[in-house]
Structures are given as structure tokens and as C-alpha cells.
Amino acid sequence: MKIALIGAGRIGQVHAQAIASHPEASLAAITDYHASAAEALATQYGSQALSAEAIFADDTIDAVLIASSTPTHADYLEQAARAGKAILCEKPIALDLARTRDALQVLAAHPVTCALGFNRRHDPQFAALKQALVEGRIGDLETLTIISRDPTPPPAEYVGASGGLFRDMTIHDFDMARWLLDEPITHVQAAGSCLIDPAIGKAGDVDTAMVILTTASGRLCHIGNSRRACYGYDQRIEAFGSKGMLQAQNESETRLRFTGEPGQVEEKPKWFFLERYAEAYSREIGDFVEAWQAQRAPLAGASDGLEALRLAEAAERSLKEGRRISLDHIH
Amino acid sequence: MKIALIGAGRIGQVHAQAIASHPEASLAAITDYHASAAEALATQYGSQALSAEAIFADDTIDAVLIASSTPTHADYLEQAARAGKAILCEKPIALDLARTRDALQVLAAHPVTCALGFNRRHDPQFAALKQALVEGRIGDLETLTIISRDPTPPPAEYVGASGGLFRDMTIHDFDMARWLLDEPITHVQAAGSCLIDPAIGKAGDVDTAMVILTTASGRLCHIGNSRRACYGYDQRIEAFGSKGMLQAQNESETRLRFTGEPGQVEEKPKWFFLERYAEAYSREIGDFVEAWQAQRAPLAGASDGLEALRLAEAAERSLKEGRRISLDHIH
Amino acid sequence: MKIALIGAGRIGQVHAQAIASHPEASLAAITDYHASAAEALATQYGSQALSAEAIFADDTIDAVLIASSTPTHADYLEQAARAGKAILCEKPIALDLARTRDALQVLAAHPVTCALGFNRRHDPQFAALKQALVEGRIGDLETLTIISRDPTPPPAEYVGASGGLFRDMTIHDFDMARWLLDEPITHVQAAGSCLIDPAIGKAGDVDTAMVILTTASGRLCHIGNSRRACYGYDQRIEAFGSKGMLQAQNESETRLRFTGEPGQVEEKPKWFFLERYAEAYSREIGDFVEAWQAQRAPLAGASDGLEALRLAEAAERSLKEGRRISLDHIH
Amino acid sequence: MKIALIGAGRIGQVHAQAIASHPEASLAAITDYHASAAEALATQYGSQALSAEAIFADDTIDAVLIASSTPTHADYLEQAARAGKAILCEKPIALDLARTRDALQVLAAHPVTCALGFNRRHDPQFAALKQALVEGRIGDLETLTIISRDPTPPPAEYVGASGGLFRDMTIHDFDMARWLLDEPITHVQAAGSCLIDPAIGKAGDVDTAMVILTTASGRLCHIGNSRRACYGYDQRIEAFGSKGMLQAQNESETRLRFTGEPGQVEEKPKWFFLERYAEAYSREIGDFVEAWQAQRAPLAGASDGLEALRLAEAAERSLKEGRRISLDHIH
């Protein structure tokens, strides 16, 4: 599968590495707003720097991986669909529902394999948790508790352009919740505060938040977010059901334990998503290649992006209005 | 300190044992609605069975421990206050705010040492967590996550008389939240479902619930409840702050680990509150004796019961109305 | 059961507390080389200070608990046996085999309930491990690994009178090994060094040691000792068999976990035997009372003291001679 | 670095993968006793199948990785040294000391970069433990406890050709002990039994063993081996010192935890060395490439093989003779 990479920034580099390591994928071309970045990465992986136009026009290229800046995602996605190329698009497709829906319509008109970069579904531990749920290990799922904290807050200027905490950060947790709850989410309640960086508050956003989701059958889900966990990336999920509980725990570089003056000490969790989800990024490419080869749906698709965005929209409204928001009212 | 026990049921027996084991307390008398129960327990501990009237009239008795049925708490508490006896009253004082306020007024008019049976404040692990918060171990507290699940649901008939999940079960978590958050809680959001026993739903209650509390400074607290955790009593608290995280974990009988076919297996959590909080009940008596001797306030007092009940009331309203409830409106 | 305590020092005080807390035992009298110590303890527990002679002569006293200095154990034990009193004797009976054998002969001539203070057999976690072995949880036991480290080395002068590391400290591990291996130990190999305190080496002893025991059927047991574990009392046992492994782990005051700059930190192990084996001392009294009432053998008896001492003797010889020592040669 | 692989069996395939994944190494050629195996592997990795002669004669090949059957190691190693090629040789060089010394003499006469396949030194967790020792995290190292158990015993016929447990399996532990103890080992004591498969006993070997090593300064090291741990590959190291303890723990596929009827269950350890040391094999190639480029010694070299073999020889003698063996007598 010949994949062209759109965007040679930090996350683009992660994908370049994953593509290069996959036995059945190759990095056919790279483009970036900064041509020099594309060239540098192309040199590193023995690929070529091309313009986006040239990529879409090149019939030997099977797929594009869209890892450019968020505002460009939807346009590239539509161009790629029209060019008949398989797509792996970093989330989000867009920060608003209308633009996202438009892109989905183009995809409907030009059906191609289209995967969305909800990388956490590919994490081995979360995947094992999902598998255990499917196998009925805990009977009927009743509640889900998702803790998701970043190690450091982004600069306030980033926050302004990010669409806010729910669209930028919680969006991953909304997707995990949807994937694991496995039935329609009907209501959203949210609370949030600015406790870490006043500049985030001035930008109109929160840096600490809690959300409750309710599903059609009454399952409940808690999401707890913080923009700053001084000890690293805190990524845990607890699924509770009629026959037991499953807990995905934080991971650290090694399991070495020291016992001494301060107590019994194990390593801190891995620092951030590049470390924690390194394996997930690799598996994400694997799923994309397989889905394209087998003409099956990838593990996360474009409509998952839309649905997660609806939840973010509902959470934002709940935070503002102090009410439980029904998903029926989010279009 | 000569303590008379009112109520010789299950929890009364726990207290009898704790009193008998305390070097500076003695079990002066026992009364119960069922005289035979009082007599049996009196025999076991070398005490005497008396009527409640006789207890209140006996000047050699310093204190009463009220462990009778919930509807009798407030009356006994008022009688004890009027009789000038120190009081350790099982929670709740009453299931409604008005009756609770009346009792507090009587206490105000007849000031005696009055402790309320929020036993969890006396748990060594939770107490260590509180102490670490006070010492600033995690910097500024930002969020609290309380998981509190019972091993088995009560019979539906109990549920009807209990005041509902928030007043009966979450009340303990509300108290822990108040104690640990250490500032006024301003808003409550709640969600709930009946997923375990339809009879509970028919009785108008939920058996699975999630609550979000917000404090004056914006701290957030999640409480997750279930009436049935098949693996035992699930009692965990996670405090998250600017400099780290504290986690109180479940306890088991021993730390013996088996590794074999099923994996690496440690014991289940202790089954229920009698096992999990055995040490807490003992320390509760200790605190009561000390508070009385030193004429200081006990760790949990009558007003803590009122405040926890206000939170329960707010949660119930939020669940029904689908809104965030301000505590300003709960009188 | 009316028990007289011989010896009011540190360990005597632990036993006094355990006796006083037992519902069917009472502290009938206390004696000590220092009469004032006996009196102080008697006052604390509402008992009486008597001479040893008076105790042995008092027909209302059922039992003696010998917790005096080591050199006096055997004499007191013989006097008690001749007086027909049940005996709970702190280990060791004596530091040499001959004196121990003599005491056993007196016991054989005057059969009374006689328990030896191998307190660890009463530890709930080790008892659970033993129970799991008996139930076949790990199939056939093949190896045992015992880690046993004290928090701080004793003063060198103590070492001189203690009989050396193997007789003083490893003796507990030899007993655990015998109890858990559950078949005759046939050979002993030992190694040792003085790494912690040169004064211990000058006194002719080691402070760091490793021992291998081999049983009749070929089971192997490792014992690893140190006189100084800076993080507290390190008491772990690992039993390995054909169907799995059991691990008794260190215990700490609470399971509170802190995650922050240094990593994920749990509390240090409990500091020393008084903390770690508090529950074991209590259960030891319980077993003693029960054994006497039921006229059954206590969990650890006088012959267990002899056998553990033979292993210590063999280890000492192995260390000196650099050879594997057969127990056949230790009389 | 152009590397030719000698041996296309199971471990050869692991190395082929590691070489192919290394950015600065390439798999130049493959040879095997079974030509078809070499061809199949060459096809898989886009390499070529050559004879060993052709490999040694090819000046464009920089290095050979010897992963053929044990009896051929020494010959290939000598040929490679004479051909001036860098060498990464699977352990052991040979099963006897004389043949090993001969090979070392050839290496001395033809100095090339020569790494020995003690893969465990490259394990991230053990490497972190070593690093912590070097940094003085536990002060002075006093004792080492190595638990090393295979999941299943080899067929008895393999045992016969393997040189016995100490040369075949414990050899890795001897190397770890040497690396971590970081000073000369002076004495060896060993015990062993046949508890798992009587056929192993008939072949003259043991399947369960314990060893004590003593170093020049008196540090002690325990090695505990079993040929069968039903729960998987048990690979743990505990280093104990004056300022604390370091414990390298078993690793599992994920950290997912299930709590339910059987208790709190985490996954079994990884099954065997291919899973547990996958990362170590990859790092081993990295170290080899770096050592060759920088003309520095690799992390484990040929003399480490000789020294570990001397310890195996001493352990075997100790087991047979029932004596502590001085390394001075092992030539």
C-alpha cells in the first residue's frame, strides 16, 4: 500500500515511522506547508517530497495519511475521497459539526476506505479490555470510568484555536466511551473549572473537567480530565459490570521497583502520548492497511469523528447552561 | 467513660465490641426495642439491659451511643442532649432536613459532645490520605474521585424506607467529599439508573449513580456508586492535585499472591463494611472518648450530618430535574 | 485460662496485651528479675506481681508464659512442667542442643500443653500460605524462598550472647521452612559474610547469610538473611510448585499510594516484628488457649525448637567447614 | 554494517528480524546446515543464501552472527576471527573450558569486535537495574537474588546434549550475577534435584537447582532455577544493599487487571524468552553495531562466556562433591 503523508510535523513523523516499519506499506510521498520539512522527512525515509496536488494526481499512490493542521483536514479529506484514495485522517475532521457533516457527504458520494485517527482504540491494553467486554468477562457492563490527564497544559494561544477542552482533549475519551459502551449515548452532563492556568480561563476554556454520559439502557460513564498531571500522562479506564471489573492501568518504561527511604517506588507513567501510544500508532497503520486490503471498515471511521464531536458539543452546552443535554438536540 | 448503647442489632454489636475493647470506656447499659436482644448482648459483655428511660435518668452514665433504627435517631439524640449526655449517633440523624435541623437546635440549646457515625473518617487509610492533603503532599487539590460500591443490593423493601440511594449510601461519600475537599460545595449534578434490581426501580430509586460536585473555588469531585460489586466492598478514593495524586486502595484479608493458570491473583477486597471498617469503628470510639475528655469537637459532628443530607437532597433534585443544583437552594 | 507471665520486658509486654485482650484468658500474675517492672505491668493490666516460686506454687494458675531472658528459659520450662502448668515458652528453649534435649526429657516425663513461641506460624498471611499448600493450590511443592531481613543490626554485645545469626535470627526461618516443607530436611549448606558492622565480625558472627536446605524428596529451600534492611522488616516467603507459585508479601500500615515526582510510591514495609507480627502474637495466645482447652498439640511445640536448633547447628558447621552438612550428623 | 547470519533456526530468525529492523545494519547473507532454511529466510528478508565459505570469503561482509548449533560455534568463531569479521556469537562458545580457551586464543591473535549473546544484559529492565546500581541508588550492594525459571522442561534427549542445567540454563544467571556483582566471584555452592521429569534425572541432570555465589568482598548471590514454571517464564532479580533494594519484576503483555470471583487478577508473565526478551534481542544488535563502529567493547564479550562457564563447572562440582568450590581450582 503506497501511502502519501500530508503533514511532516510531530505527529506526521510518528506516522512516517509507522508506515516505514510496516512490511506491506511504503511511504510514497510527503507534503507539508513547509516544503523543507517535507524534504527533510522524505530524505530520512528514502521517500520524495511532492505537492499535495501531485499526490492526489498520482495514480500509483493508494492512500493518503492526513496529519496536517486541523483546519486543513476536511479539505484534504474531500480531495482524497474525490481522487479515490484510501484515507487515514488525524482527528478531528473539523472542529464544527456542519463542516464535518459536509465532509461525510463527500465520503458518501465517493466511498473509499476512510479511517479516523482515534489512536487509543489501537492501544494493546485498551484493545484487550474491549475484547474482554465482548467476551462477557464482566457480564453486563454498567459503568465506565475514564481518567485522562495530560502531563502539561498547552499554551493559551493553542487553546484558543483548539476548539476548547471538550473538542480537543475529551474528544478521545468520548470516542473510547462510545466504543466501549457499545450503545447510543443519550445524555451528557458536564462540569469544568480553570484551576491550572488563568490564561486558559481568559481564553474562555476550562483546564479541569468532569463529564457524565448516560446511554439508552442507563449505563453511566464518567470522564475526568485535567490538562496537567505532574507525574505524566494519566490514561486509565475502568469498566464495571455485573460479574466484575476491568481496569486498564498506566504503563511505565520498565517495572523496576525501588524500596528505600521514600517507600516502595515504581516508575512514573510514560510521559505523553508519543511514548504511551507508540504501539497504538503502529497498530493503527496495520489496521488501515488490512482494512483497505480486505475492503472492510477500519476500527474507527469518519462517522466516529462526527459522533464524538456531537458529544463534545453537548458537553460544552451542558457546561454553559447547567443542564443535562439530550443528544437528540445536537445536530 | 460509661457509655450506654441504644440498639443491639448488627451495628450495635460492632459498637459494643469497640467500647468493650477501649481501655477507658465501659459498656454501662444496653437497651433495644427487643428486650431479649439487649439482654443477650448485655450478658455477652457483662453489662446490663435497661430501658431507654432508665438510661437517660441514670446520672452515672456519661454517654449514649445511638444505634437504633433510623426513625428513632433524632428523638433519642434530643433526649440525650436534654439529659446532658455525650452522644455518638449513627448516621443519619433523620432522613429529612427539617427534622435534622430541629435536632440541631436542641443540641444548640443543650450543648454536649456529639459525634456522628461517619465511620469512614476514622479509616486509617482515608485518615492518612487526609493527613497527606493537609501536609500539602499533592499541592493544591483539584479533583477528587470517589468509588463506592456495596457488594450486594439491599432488599427492595429496605430501599423504600431508606430515603433512597443518595440519602442511604452516597451520604457517606458526600461526607468524605466534604471532609477532603475542605471548602464549600456549591453545585451538584447527578445521574442514576436502575441496572441491577428492577424492584429497586419500582420502589422509585436507582441502584447505579454518578454525581459531580463543584466547590466554591472550582474543585471537582466525582462519586461513582453501585449497589452491587460482585467482588466485594469497593471503597477507593483518588485525590489529584498540582503536585501529584493520592490513591486510597481497597484492602484485602492478606496480601498473599497466587500465580498460576489464571494469572497473578491477589485476594478480593474485604467483603463489606464490617470487615473493611473494623478498625475505623474502633478508632471512632477512641475519638469519641478523647473528644469528650478534652471537650473538643469530635472528628464528625451533627452539623456534618445536616450538610451531607443537603447534598443528598440536591443530588436527588438534580437527578429528577436534569439540572445542576445550587446548594443555595437547599434549605 | 489463668496465665502467669514470666518476664515483663518488651516481648513480655506484647504478650501481656495479647492475654488481656483474649476473652477466655486472664493475666493472673507477673514476675520479673526486676520486681519494679513486674509491678508496673501488673498495675497496668490489673494483675499482681508475684515471685516465680509463688507462681509455680499457686494451684489456681493454669499456665505460664515464659518471656524472660534466654538463659532462664529451660529452667523455667522444667519447673513449670513439674508444676503441671501449661507452657507457652518464647524461643529458644536454650542455645545448645544438649540443654534443649534435657528440657524435652522433663517435658516427656511431665506431659503438659507446651507451645513454643514461633510467632510467625500465627501470622495470617503465612497461615494462608500454609493452608493453600495443604489444599494443593500449587500442586507439589518444589522450592521455597524465604527472605528475612531485620531493619537494624543488634549491638555487637548482644550478638555475642545470642548464639550467632543462625541460632538467633535464622532460627525463625528454619522453623518456617520445616513447617512449610512438611518433610524431613536432610542437608544444609550455608554461606555468610560480615558486610554491615565490623564489630559483628569481630564477635565471630556474620550479618549477611544465605542457606540452602534440601529435603528427603529433594525439595530445595533458600533462606536469605540480613541484619539491616534500611526500609524496614523484610519478611517474604515464596513457595513454588508444579501448579503455580504463592508469595507472601510485605505488609505496610496502609495501602495509600502517592504518584508524583519520585514515581508511584507505596508505604515502606512495617518497621519491625512488633508491628508486623502484632496479629500473630494475638493469634498465638488464641492457639495456646484452644490447645490447652482441647488437649491438642499447639501449632508449634518444644520439639520444633529442638529441630530448628539442629538446623542452625548444621548451618554453622557448613559455614565453617565449607561442606554440605547432613542432619544425620547433628545430635 | 553488513551482517551475515549463520543459522536460520528459531533464534536465527529472531536475529534476522532484529538486523532487518536496525537502520544501520543489513542482512547481507544467510547460511544454514539445511540450505532450504537459509533460502526461505533469505527470501523473507530480501537477502541471499550463501555457503559459510562464501560468507567468510566475501570482503563486503563486515560481520557474522553465529546462531548455528552449539557444537559449531567455536569453529565458526575462529574462522570469522581469522577472516577479520566482527562477531556476534550465540552463547555458549563451547560446552567445555578447553575448547573455549582455544577460541579465545584465536581471538587474541586476530582481534575483532566480538560480542557474546548474553541477551539479558540488553533487557531494558535489567539494564535499568544495572544503571541504578552504578549510580549508587542502593548504596553498597550486599546480596543478589536471581529467580530464573523456564516455562517447560526440554526433552530429555536435549538435556543430554546440553551440558546440563548449569551450563545450559544457569549460565545466563551466572552471567547476570557476574555483571551485577561487579567483582570476582570466589566460591560456589550448589544443590539440585530432579523433581519434574525423571527422564532428566536418568540423563544425569537436575531440573531444579539452587546456587550460592560468594564474591571477594563477601557479597552473596542466590540463584534459583526450575525447568518448569507452569505460569510462564519467571525472570526476576532482586539487588539488596545498604540503602535499599531494587527489584526487576516479571513482565506481561498488558497491565489489564480483572477483579471478580477469583480475586484481583493480572496477566501471567510472558511465556518464554522470545516474548520476554524481544526488546533485548533488538538492543543486542544495536550494541553490536555501535561497538563495531566505535571500536569499543560490546556489552558482553567472549571472555564473559569463559567466566560464566567456569562458574557452571564449579556449580557442577559442588553439586557432586557436596563442597563449596573455590574458583581458584577451576581452569
Side-chain angles (χ1 to χ4, degrees):
Chain A
M1 187 183 200
K2 289 175 197 246
I3 306 175
L5 175 65
I6 302 178
R10 186 171 60 166
I11 192 66
Q13 290 167 31
V14 170
H15 289 302
Q17 160 81 36
I19 293 169
S21 300
H22 193 287
E24 297 175 43
S26 66
L27 193 52
I30 303 174
T31 192
D32 193 277
Y33 179 79
H34 301 286
S36 59
E39 270 154 31
L41 200 59
T43 304
Q44 185 180 343
Y45 285 98
S47 183
Q48 57 178 328
L50 289 184
S51 69
E53 293 70 33
I55 286 171
F56 291 123
D58 185 340
D59 283 351
T60 68
I61 290 176
D62 300 309
V64 296
L65 195 163
I66 303 171
S68 47
S69 65
T70 293
T72 68
H73 287 186
D75 287 352
Y76 281 133
L77 185 145
E78 291 177 0
Q79 289 182 56
R82 289 190 174 112
K85 308 222 174 294
I87 302 163
L88 170 46
C89 182
E90 264 302 315
K91 65 96 208 162
I93 296 173
L95 289 173
D96 69 294
L97 288 169
R99 185 68 193 90
T100 306
R101 284 191 195 282
D102 287 349
L104 262 74
Q105 283 186 345
V106 174
L107 280 169
H110 303 272
V112 296
T113 297
C114 180
L116 200 67
F118 280 130
N119 56 315
R120 296 184 196 175
R121 292 194 185 198
H122 303 280
D123 175 73
Q125 193 175 177
F126 295 161
L129 188 154
K130 169 74 177 178
Q131 180 63 20
L133 286 179
V134 168
E135 289 167 0
R137 190 98 191 268
I138 61 166
D140 297 323
L141 176 65
E142 292 164 1
T143 69
L144 204 61
T145 306
I146 300 177
I147 300 294
S148 177
R149 296 167 184 149
D150 282 356
T152 48
E157 54 265 37
Y158 170 88
V159 166
S162 72
L165 182 102
F166 294 129
R167 279 187 189 81
D168 177 53
M169 181 176 164
T170 325
I171 195 86
H172 279 290
D173 307 306
F174 288 134
D175 182 64
M176 286 306 298
R178 289 188 60 246
W179 188 49
L180 297 173
L181 289 167
D182 210 23
E183 65 174 25
I185 292 165
T186 57
H187 293 85
V188 177
Q189 289 158 280
S193 301
C194 180
L195 298 174
I196 297 165
D197 182 357
I200 291 175
K202 277 180 197 158
D205 200 7
V206 295
D207 52 33
T208 303
M210 288 189 174
V211 177
I212 302 173
L213 309 176
T214 304
T215 71
S217 77
R219 290 173 179 167
L220 301 177
C221 173
H222 163 76
I223 299 171
N225 288 144
S226 171
R227 286 284 197 184
R228 180 200 52 204
C230 70
Y231 47 80
Y233 201 37
D234 197 346
Q235 298 281 295
R236 288 171 287 146
I237 299 177
E238 175 174 316
F240 174 77
S242 57
K243 292 184 181 164
M245 171 169 64
L246 289 160
Q247 292 169 300
Q249 305 185 79
N250 281 321
E251 297 177 4
S252 48
E253 284 306 317
T254 85
R255 299 199 58 165
L256 188 64
R257 175 190 289 186
F258 169 72
T259 303
E261 201 39 60
Q264 308 185 50
V265 188
E266 299 204 4
E267 290 178 16
K268 281 187 282 193
K270 291 179 178 176
W271 180 246
F272 210 176
F273 66 97
L274 293 181
E275 295 84 13
R276 174 68 170 83
Y277 293 124
E279 177 68 15
Y281 284 113
S282 169
R283 291 190 179 205
E284 187 176 58
I285 295 293
D287 175 66
F288 179 51
V289 174
E290 263 187 49
W292 176 73
Q293 288 172 339
Q295 289 296 301
R296 65 156 170 84
L299 194 51
S303 66
D304 293 310
L306 179 70
E307 294 304 319
L309 192 58
R310 289 179 68 216
L311 292 169
E313 184 88 11
E316 198 168 85
R317 274 200 217 171
S318 176
L319 177 62
K320 280 184 187 145
E321 302 176 13
R323 291 187 305 112
R324 176 170 65 209
I325 302 296
S326 165
L327 262 289
D328 289 346
H329 302 136
I330 307 293
H331 304 291
Chain B
M1 186 182 201
K2 290 179 195 242
I3 306 176
L5 175 64
I6 302 178
R10 186 172 58 165
I11 192 67
Q13 290 167 32
V14 170
H15 289 302
Q17 160 81 35
I19 294 169
S21 301
H22 192 286
E24 297 174 45
S26 66
L27 193 52
I30 303 175
T31 192
D32 193 277
Y33 180 80
H34 302 285
S36 61
E39 272 155 29
L41 199 60
T43 304
Q44 185 180 341
Y45 285 99
S47 184
Q48 57 179 330
L50 289 184
S51 70
E53 292 69 33
I55 286 171
F56 290 121
D58 186 338
D59 283 351
T60 69
I61 290 176
D62 302 308
V64 296
L65 194 163
I66 304 172
S68 49
S69 65
T70 293
T72 67
H73 288 186
D75 286 352
Y76 281 133
L77 185 145
E78 291 175 359
Q79 290 181 57
R82 288 188 175 112
K85 307 221 174 294
I87 303 164
L88 170 45
C89 182
E90 263 303 314
K91 65 95 210 166
I93 296 172
L95 288 172
D96 68 293
L97 288 170
R99 184 70 192 89
T100 306
R101 284 189 195 282
D102 287 350
L104 263 73
Q105 284 185 344
V106 173
L107 281 169
H110 304 272
V112 296
T113 297
C114 179
L116 199 68
F118 281 129
N119 57 315
R120 295 184 196 175
R121 292 195 185 195
H122 305 279
D123 175 72
Q125 194 176 177
F126 295 161
L129 188 152
K130 170 73 177 177
Q131 181 63 19
L133 286 180
V134 168
E135 290 168 359
R137 188 96 192 270
I138 61 167
D140 296 323
L141 176 65
E142 291 164 0
T143 70
L144 204 61
T145 305
I146 299 178
I147 300 295
S148 176
R149 297 167 182 149
D150 281 357
T152 50
E157 55 266 36
Y158 170 87
V159 166
S162 72
L165 182 102
F166 294 129
R167 279 187 191 80
D168 178 52
M169 182 176 165
T170 324
I171 195 85
H172 279 290
D173 307 306
F174 288 134
D175 182 63
M176 286 305 298
R178 287 188 63 247
W179 188 48
L180 297 174
L181 289 167
D182 209 22
E183 65 173 24
I185 292 165
T186 57
H187 292 87
V188 177
Q189 290 157 282
S193 300
C194 180
L195 298 174
I196 296 164
D197 182 356
I200 290 174
K202 277 179 198 156
D205 201 6
V206 295
D207 52 31
T208 304
M210 288 188 175
V211 177
I212 301 173
L213 308 176
T214 305
T215 70
S217 77
R219 289 174 179 167
L220 302 178
C221 171
H222 163 77
I223 299 172
N225 287 145
S226 171
R227 285 286 197 183
R228 180 200 52 206
C230 69
Y231 47 80
Y233 201 37
D234 197 346
Q235 297 281 295
R236 289 171 287 148
I237 299 178
E238 175 174 315
F240 174 78
S242 56
K243 292 185 182 164
M245 172 168 65
L246 288 160
Q247 293 170 300
Q249 305 185 79
N250 282 320
E251 296 177 4
S252 48
E253 284 307 318
T254 83
R255 299 199 58 165
L256 188 64
R257 175 189 289 187
F258 169 71
T259 302
E261 201 39 61
Q264 307 186 52
V265 188
E266 299 204 4
E267 288 177 18
K268 280 187 281 195
K270 291 179 178 177
W271 180 246
F272 210 175
F273 65 98
L274 293 181
E275 295 86 10
R276 173 68 171 84
Y277 294 123
E279 176 70 13
Y281 284 114
S282 169
R283 291 189 179 205
E284 188 176 59
I285 295 295
D287 175 67
F288 180 52
V289 174
E290 263 187 48
W292 177 74
Q293 289 173 337
Q295 289 297 298
R296 66 155 168 83
L299 194 52
S303 65
D304 294 310
L306 179 71
E307 294 304 318
L309 193 56
R310 289 179 69 216
L311 292 170
E313 183 91 10
E316 197 166 87
R317 273 200 217 170
S318 176
L319 177 63
K320 280 185 187 144
E321 302 176 13
R323 291 188 303 113
R324 177 170 64 207
I325 302 296
S326 165
L327 262 291
D328 288 346
H329 303 135
I330 307 292
H331 304 291
Chain C
M1 187 184 202
K2 291 177 196 245
I3 307 175
L5 175 64
I6 302 179
R10 186 172 60 164
I11 192 67
Q13 291 167 31
V14 170
H15 289 302
Q17 160 81 34
I19 293 169
S21 301
H22 193 285
E24 297 174 42
S26 65
L27 194 51
I30 303 174
T31 193
D32 193 276
Y33 180 79
H34 301 286
S36 61
E39 272 154 30
L41 200 59
T43 303
Q44 184 180 345
Y45 285 99
S47 183
Q48 57 178 327
L50 289 183
S51 71
E53 292 69 34
I55 285 171
F56 291 121
D58 185 339
D59 282 351
T60 69
I61 290 176
D62 301 308
V64 296
L65 196 162
I66 304 171
S68 48
S69 64
T70 293
T72 66
H73 287 186
D75 287 352
Y76 281 134
L77 185 144
E78 291 175 0
Q79 289 181 58
R82 288 189 175 111
K85 309 224 174 290
I87 302 163
L88 169 46
C89 181
E90 264 303 315
K91 65 97 208 163
I93 297 172
L95 289 172
D96 71 292
L97 287 169
R99 185 68 192 90
T100 306
R101 285 189 195 282
D102 287 349
L104 263 71
Q105 284 186 346
V106 174
L107 279 170
H110 304 272
V112 295
T113 296
C114 180
L116 199 68
F118 280 130
N119 56 315
R120 296 184 195 175
R121 293 194 184 197
H122 303 279
D123 175 72
Q125 194 176 179
F126 295 161
L129 188 152
K130 171 72 178 179
Q131 181 61 21
L133 286 179
V134 168
E135 290 167 0
R137 188 96 191 270
I138 61 165
D140 296 324
L141 176 65
E142 292 164 1
T143 69
L144 204 62
T145 306
I146 299 177
I147 301 295
S148 177
R149 297 167 183 150
D150 282 357
T152 48
E157 55 267 35
Y158 171 88
V159 167
S162 72
L165 182 102
F166 294 130
R167 278 187 190 81
D168 176 54
M169 180 175 167
T170 323
I171 195 88
H172 279 291
D173 307 306
F174 288 134
D175 182 63
M176 286 305 298
R178 288 188 62 247
W179 188 48
L180 297 174
L181 289 166
D182 209 21
E183 65 173 25
I185 292 164
T186 56
H187 293 87
V188 177
Q189 291 158 279
S193 301
C194 180
L195 299 175
I196 297 166
D197 182 356
I200 292 175
K202 275 179 199 158
D205 201 6
V206 294
D207 52 32
T208 304
M210 288 188 175
V211 177
I212 301 173
L213 307 176
T214 305
T215 70
S217 77
R219 289 174 180 167
L220 302 178
C221 171
H222 163 77
I223 298 171
N225 288 145
S226 170
R227 285 285 196 184
R228 181 202 49 207
C230 69
Y231 47 79
Y233 200 37
D234 198 346
Q235 296 282 297
R236 288 171 288 148
I237 300 178
E238 175 175 314
F240 174 78
S242 57
K243 292 184 180 164
M245 170 168 66
L246 289 160
Q247 293 170 299
Q249 305 184 79
N250 281 322
E251 297 177 4
S252 47
E253 284 306 317
T254 84
R255 299 199 57 165
L256 187 65
R257 175 191 290 188
F258 169 72
T259 303
E261 200 40 59
Q264 307 185 51
V265 188
E266 300 204 3
E267 288 177 17
K268 281 186 280 194
K270 290 179 179 177
W271 180 247
F272 209 174
F273 66 98
L274 293 181
E275 294 86 10
R276 173 67 171 87
Y277 293 123
E279 177 69 14
Y281 285 113
S282 169
R283 293 189 177 205
E284 188 176 59
I285 294 294
D287 175 67
F288 180 52
V289 174
E290 263 187 48
W292 175 71
Q293 288 173 338
Q295 290 294 302
R296 65 156 169 83
L299 194 52
S303 66
D304 294 309
L306 179 70
E307 293 306 318
L309 193 59
R310 289 179 67 217
L311 291 170
E313 184 89 11
E316 198 167 87
R317 274 201 216 169
S318 176
L319 177 63
K320 279 185 189 144
E321 301 176 13
R323 291 187 304 111
R324 178 169 66 207
I325 301 296
S326 166
L327 262 291
D328 289 346
H329 302 136
I330 307 293
H331 304 291
Chain D
M1 187 183 202
K2 290 177 197 249
I3 306 175
L5 176 64
I6 302 178
R10 186 172 59 166
I11 192 67
Q13 290 167 32
V14 170
H15 289 302
Q17 161 80 35
I19 293 169
S21 300
H22 193 287
E24 297 175 43
S26 66
L27 194 52
I30 302 174
T31 192
D32 193 277
Y33 180 79
H34 301 286
S36 60
E39 273 155 28
L41 199 60
T43 303
Q44 186 180 341
Y45 285 98
S47 182
Q48 58 178 330
L50 289 184
S51 69
E53 292 71 32
I55 285 170
F56 291 122
D58 186 338
D59 282 352
T60 70
I61 291 175
D62 300 310
V64 295
L65 195 164
I66 303 172
S68 49
S69 64
T70 293
T72 67
H73 287 185
D75 287 352
Y76 281 133
L77 186 145
E78 291 176 359
Q79 289 181 58
R82 287 185 175 116
K85 308 220 173 293
I87 302 165
L88 170 45
C89 182
E90 265 302 314
K91 66 96 213 164
I93 297 172
L95 289 171
D96 69 294
L97 287 169
R99 185 68 192 89
T100 305
R101 285 188 195 282
D102 288 349
L104 261 72
Q105 283 186 344
V106 173
L107 280 170
H110 303 271
V112 295
T113 297
C114 180
L116 199 68
F118 280 129
N119 56 314
R120 295 182 196 177
R121 292 195 184 196
H122 304 280
D123 175 72
Q125 196 177 176
F126 295 161
L129 189 152
K130 171 72 178 179
Q131 180 63 18
L133 287 179
V134 167
E135 290 168 359
R137 189 96 191 269
I138 61 166
D140 296 324
L141 176 66
E142 291 165 2
T143 69
L144 204 60
T145 306
I146 299 177
I147 301 294
S148 176
R149 297 167 182 149
D150 282 356
T152 48
E157 55 267 35
Y158 170 87
V159 166
S162 72
L165 182 101
F166 294 129
R167 280 187 189 80
D168 177 54
M169 181 177 166
T170 323
I171 194 89
H172 279 290
D173 307 307
F174 288 134
D175 181 63
M176 286 305 298
R178 287 188 62 246
W179 188 48
L180 297 174
L181 289 167
D182 209 23
E183 63 172 26
I185 293 165
T186 56
H187 292 88
V188 177
Q189 289 158 281
S193 300
C194 180
L195 298 174
I196 298 165
D197 182 358
I200 291 174
K202 276 179 199 158
D205 201 6
V206 295
D207 51 31
T208 303
M210 287 188 175
V211 176
I212 300 173
L213 308 176
T214 304
T215 71
S217 76
R219 290 174 179 167
L220 301 178
C221 171
H222 163 75
I223 299 171
N225 288 144
S226 170
R227 286 285 198 183
R228 180 199 53 204
C230 70
Y231 48 79
Y233 200 38
D234 198 346
Q235 296 282 297
R236 288 171 288 147
I237 300 177
E238 175 174 315
F240 174 79
S242 56
K243 292 186 181 162
M245 170 168 66
L246 289 159
Q247 292 171 300
Q249 304 186 80
N250 281 321
E251 296 177 4
S252 47
E253 285 305 319
T254 84
R255 300 200 57 164
L256 188 65
R257 174 190 289 188
F258 169 72
T259 303
E261 201 40 60
Q264 306 185 52
V265 188
E266 299 204 3
E267 290 178 16
K268 280 186 281 194
K270 290 179 178 177
W271 179 246
F272 210 175
F273 65 98
L274 293 182
E275 294 85 11
R276 174 68 170 84
Y277 293 123
E279 177 69 14
Y281 284 113
S282 168
R283 292 189 180 206
E284 186 176 59
I285 294 295
D287 176 66
F288 180 52
V289 173
E290 263 186 50
W292 177 71
Q293 288 173 337
Q295 289 295 304
R296 67 156 169 83
L299 195 52
S303 65
D304 293 309
L306 178 71
E307 292 306 318
L309 192 58
R310 289 179 68 216
L311 291 169
E313 183 90 10
E316 197 168 88
R317 274 201 216 169
S318 175
L319 177 63
K320 280 187 187 141
E321 301 176 15
R323 292 187 301 113
R324 177 170 64 209
I325 301 296
S326 166
L327 262 291
D328 289 346
H329 303 136
I330 307 293
H331 304 292

